[in-house]
Amino acid sequence: EGRELDSLSLMFRDSNGRAFAALCANADRSRLLQLRSLIDGMFLPPEEPAAKPDEEASVDAIMHRIIEESIAAVGPGAGALTKDERAQAVRLMQDRGLFLVRSSVDTAAERLGVTRHTIYNYLDKK
C-alpha cells in the first residue's frame, strides 16, 4: 500500500555461532508520520517553495553574499574594519567555502580593500 515500515530482525545464535532462531518485527509508522506532519504544520512556518532554475542565484551573487555577510558579522562595514576584524571576516568566508570558487580571493580582497597576498596571510594564520 506504499506505507513506510520500520523493520527489526534479531538472530539468536548458539555457542558455536550457528543461528537457531530469528525474531522479526515490522512497525507501520504511517499514523505517527501523519501526526508529526500535523504538529509541524501547527508550529513551524510553511516551507518556502523550491526555487525554480531561473530563480537560483548565480555563483557570483552567492560569492558576494558570503563576503557581505562575513563582513557584517564582524563589524560595521569593510572600510571601518580593523586588521583583526578583516582577518576574522576572511576566516568566516573560508568556513563557508568561499575560497573554493575561482577568483574569489581577488573579489574578497577588493571588497576588503586589501591585496590578495593579505587574504592569503589571513588564511595562513587560521
Side-chain angles (χ1 to χ4, degrees):
E1 297 174 357
R3 290 183 277 175
E4 287 187 33
L5 300 176
D6 284 334
S7 297
L8 171 71
S9 297
L10 296 173
M11 299 297 293
F12 295 94
R13 300 182 183 277
D14 62 18
S15 59
N16 294 324
R18 214 177 283 152
F20 66 89
L23 173 66
C24 301
N26 294 317
D28 181 355
R29 298 184 336 136
S30 56
R31 296 274 184 195
L32 183 60
L33 293 173
Q34 287 174 344
L35 180 61
R36 172 73 186 261
S37 179
L38 176 67
I39 292 171
D40 285 349
M42 292 185 337
F43 297 106
L44 297 177
E47 288 185 23
E48 294 290 324
K52 296 177 183 164
D54 59 333
E55 295 176 358
E56 291 179 3
S58 69
V59 173
D60 283 341
I62 294 170
M63 187 169 62
H64 286 287
R65 188 176 71 230
I66 290 172
I67 292 169
E68 294 306 320
E69 288 173 355
S70 298
I71 291 170
V74 297
L81 296 179
T82 65
K83 179 181 177 181
D84 288 338
E85 289 171 333
R86 283 193 306 270
Q88 185 179 357
V90 168
R91 285 190 295 275
L92 290 172
M93 293 174 204
Q94 173 70 17
D95 291 344
R96 293 187 63 189
L98 177 71
F99 301 118
L100 298 172
V101 177
R102 186 177 193 170
S103 78
S104 59
V105 171
D106 294 324
T107 305
E110 182 179 329
R111 180 64 181 96
L112 289 171
V114 297
T115 65
R116 69 190 326 260
H117 180 72
T118 301
I119 298 289
Y120 286 118
N121 282 339
Y122 291 153
L123 292 171
D124 286 340
K125 292 178 183 178
K126 186 175 180 184

